[in-house]
């Protein structure tokens, strides 16, 4: 048996997220189906990040065990021929038999894309959040600086179940504008449920002048979900990469 | 009666192009339907560029006449509430009663996007042509230079019907790379049927080393469609703007 690590990209638009559910098609489900068909085995992958419905990825990670003789680095090419065009395995490689994508230190990087102009753009509509009022980038950056570092992010989490602790470390957070698109790029050791989308909603409130950038300080180490900003829509979020040390 | 000029953006993925046809939904059709519903009149727009099935636009232009009392610059907002989310009127304004979007000098700018890397990207798949072999940008630029200026582009046209002359002027053509995306941006006084896509297919042949950049010289002023490159796929093409002098 070999353990194979996959790097997976997908357009989340037509999926009910990553994780298998009773109703609705998920990325995990189409991966399992294609890998099972390819190997003739009953494959169930273990994913690193359970992205929500509508969220996209360029670098989610999953592993599975197989007795297949397909060379590990060829799995990507072989399985892509059996996957729908909105799911692509961009890399496959063998890892140690006890390697697990969730039980070790990693740096996850998400990008949130905001289209900041008056009119919506039909070409980008599935990949951005359209915000049509002016946003002050300096205020968004000031707010972002307060969030960098190790904090209890309880106020930035939709549901408390699941996570043993709500303390997380954000290594870096950048707010950049390129033309009409503002990208919030955040790297951390892990993120709570909806955390990046709530951070984005909060930074947009600061950028609009609806809240003082300093107000995010009070949210940290508190339990004030109601005082953080709204959850930004799913389609603007992209899981860029997960890097293991 | 007022003549209203619209600047129209759309995601061409789900449309059989701009122009109304017996079968299939077109951008022109959904615009006519929304404007007719808005005004209570029987509106039929006249478009500037009849983009093909799957081709996108940020700045196509259309006009229509109306007795409506809606202020010209408010038409965009009003009609957008009646349009599907993949068609957006980004601007509306009054023009002279004899202003016609096709019968006067204009500069049309198209962008063709190529994703140049090994694996396809599900998130960009509807907006790029994925070319997975290395492309030499300098060779593409050399080929592009030969095409700039006034030439008979008969060899770069799929069907000869319709156009009175196959002479066109390309004002500028840029080939730029940003990360894994190569953009070919071309401005001209008009383009023949499939011309930008055939130019793209030809430049990609030059970039792959399948043809000498100099070979495009022989295609100009000739009638050699068979010797030009293949027609690049529709989804990589975007009509960026039409500017009137």
């Amino acid at each position: 048996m070999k353990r194979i690590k996959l790097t997976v990209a997908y357009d989340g638009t037509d999926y009910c997220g990553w994780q298998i559910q009773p109703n609705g098609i998920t990325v995990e489900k189409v991966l399992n189906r294609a890998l099972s068909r390819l190997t003739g085995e009953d494959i169930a992958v273990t994913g690193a990040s359970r992205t929500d419905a509508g969220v996209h990825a360029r670098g989610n990670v999953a592993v599975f065990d197989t007795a297949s003789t397909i060379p590990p680095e060829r799995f990507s090419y072989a399985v892509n021929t059996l996957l729908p065009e909105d799911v692509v395995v961009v890399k496959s490689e063998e890892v140690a038999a006890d390697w697990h994508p969730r039980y070790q230190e990693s740096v996850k990087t998400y990008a949130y894309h905001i289209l900041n102009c008056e009119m919506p753009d039909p070409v980008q509509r599935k990949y951005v959040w359209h915000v049509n009022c002016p946003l002050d980038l300096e205020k968004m950056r000031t707010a972002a600086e307060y969030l960098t570092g190790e904090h209890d992010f309880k106020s930035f989490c939709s549901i408390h179940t699941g996570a043993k602790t709500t303390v997380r470390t954000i290594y870096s957070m950048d707010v950049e504008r390129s033309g009409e698109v503002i990208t919030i790029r955040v790297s951390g050791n892990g993120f709570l449920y909806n955390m990046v989308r709530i951070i984005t909603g909060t930074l947009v409130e600061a950028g609009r002048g609806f809240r003082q950038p300093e107000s995010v300080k009070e949210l940290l180490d508190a339990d004030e979900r109601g005082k953080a900003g709204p959850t930004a829509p799913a389609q603007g979020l992209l899981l860029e990469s997960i890097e293991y040390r």
Side-chain angles (χ1 to χ4, degrees), chain A residues 202-223:
Chain A
T202 307
L203 293 192
V204 164
E205 283 191 341
R208 293 179 74 168
F210 282 11
R211 68 158 64 235
Q212 292 300 315
E214 295 70 27
S215 72
V216 304
K217 261 198 293 195
E218 297 152 29
L219 295 168
L220 290 171
D221 304 308
D223 187 357

Side-chain angles (χ1 to χ4, degrees), chain A residues 8-21 23-34 51-57 82-88 126-127 197 234-235:
Chain A
V8 189
Y10 46 88
D11 180 329
T13 307
D14 295 332
Y15 292 93
C16 302
W18 172 273
Q19 196 173 18
I20 285 183
Q21 345 185 312
N23 306 313
I25 188 81
T26 65
V27 179
E28 191 179 16
K29 192 170 181 174
V30 303
L31 269 178
N32 286 349
R33 196 164 55 193
T51 55
D52 275 343
V55 172
H56 314 291
L82 300 171
L83 284 168
E85 64 173 8
D86 51 5
V87 179
V88 173
K126 291 175 179 174
Y127 311 100
R197 291 164 59 189
Q235 82 273 4

Side-chain angles (χ1 to χ4, degrees), chain A residues 7 14 17 65 73 84-85 87 102 106 114 118 124 142 155 160 183 189 194 197 207-208 221:
Chain A
T7 306
D14 295 332
D65 296 320
E73 68 282 1
E85 64 173 8
V87 179
R102 286 200 302 276
S106 67
I114 297 165
E118 197 185 357
Q124 294 183 82
T142 304
S155 301
H160 287 192
T183 300
N189 65 351
N194 279 352
R197 291 164 59 189
R208 293 179 74 168
D221 304 308

Side-chain angles (χ1 to χ4, degrees), chain A residues 111-145:
Chain A
Y112 196 99
H113 295 109
I114 297 165
L115 179 69
N116 188 218
C117 54
E118 197 185 357
M119 286 291 182
D121 178 5
V123 167
Q124 294 183 82
R125 75 192 187 285
K126 291 175 179 174
Y127 311 100
V128 296
W129 176 21
H130 178 232
V131 175
N132 66 0
C133 48
L135 293 175
D136 182 328
L137 252 68
E138 281 314 313
K139 286 183 179 169
M140 293 172 74
R141 286 178 184 137
T142 304
E145 272 172 37

Side-chain angles (χ1 to χ4, degrees), chain A residues 12 15 19 25 39 53 77 81 85 116 152 157-158 166 180 187 198 205:
Chain A
Y15 292 93
Q19 196 173 18
I25 188 81
T39 58
Y77 301 92
T81 64
E85 64 173 8
N116 188 218
D152 187 335
C157 173
S158 287
T166 47
E180 293 174 329
S187 292
I198 297 169
E205 283 191 341

